[in-house]
Amino acid sequence: MNNSLGIISAFLGGALVGTAAALLFAPEKGEDLRARIIDLLRKKGILCTEADVDSLVEKLKEDLES
């Protein structure tokens, strides 16, 4: 049972990162895109601020550049 939970968590984490990366590469204004990310996360029950999204964007940029 614990192994299944780990697999599900890994899948959901990968899906979230993949979705964020896809949104970041979409041809859309950065401000509009960040608002969309915040709305999407709020619909999923994840509360975050614009500063949280900015931090996520910077982290993803660093990960993609390395």
Side-chain angles (χ1 to χ4, degrees):
M1 181 80 151
N2 193 17
N3 190 27
S4 296
L5 184 59
I7 292 171
I8 291 171
S9 297
F11 175 77
L12 291 176
L16 181 61
V17 170
T19 300
L23 288 172
L24 290 173
F25 288 112
E28 191 172 339
K29 230 169 77 173
E31 184 178 309
D32 296 339
L33 181 58
R34 284 179 170 80
R36 249 179 75 196
I37 291 171
I38 290 171
D39 289 340
L40 176 67
L41 291 174
R42 286 185 180 153
K43 286 178 184 176
K44 299 292 182 183
I46 302 170
L47 299 178
C48 63
T49 64
E50 288 184 32
D52 294 334
V53 173
D54 289 342
S55 296
L56 174 63
V57 168
E58 289 303 317
K59 174 71 174 137
L60 289 172
K61 281 183 187 178
E62 290 171 8
D63 289 348
L64 291 172
E65 290 174 354
S66 60

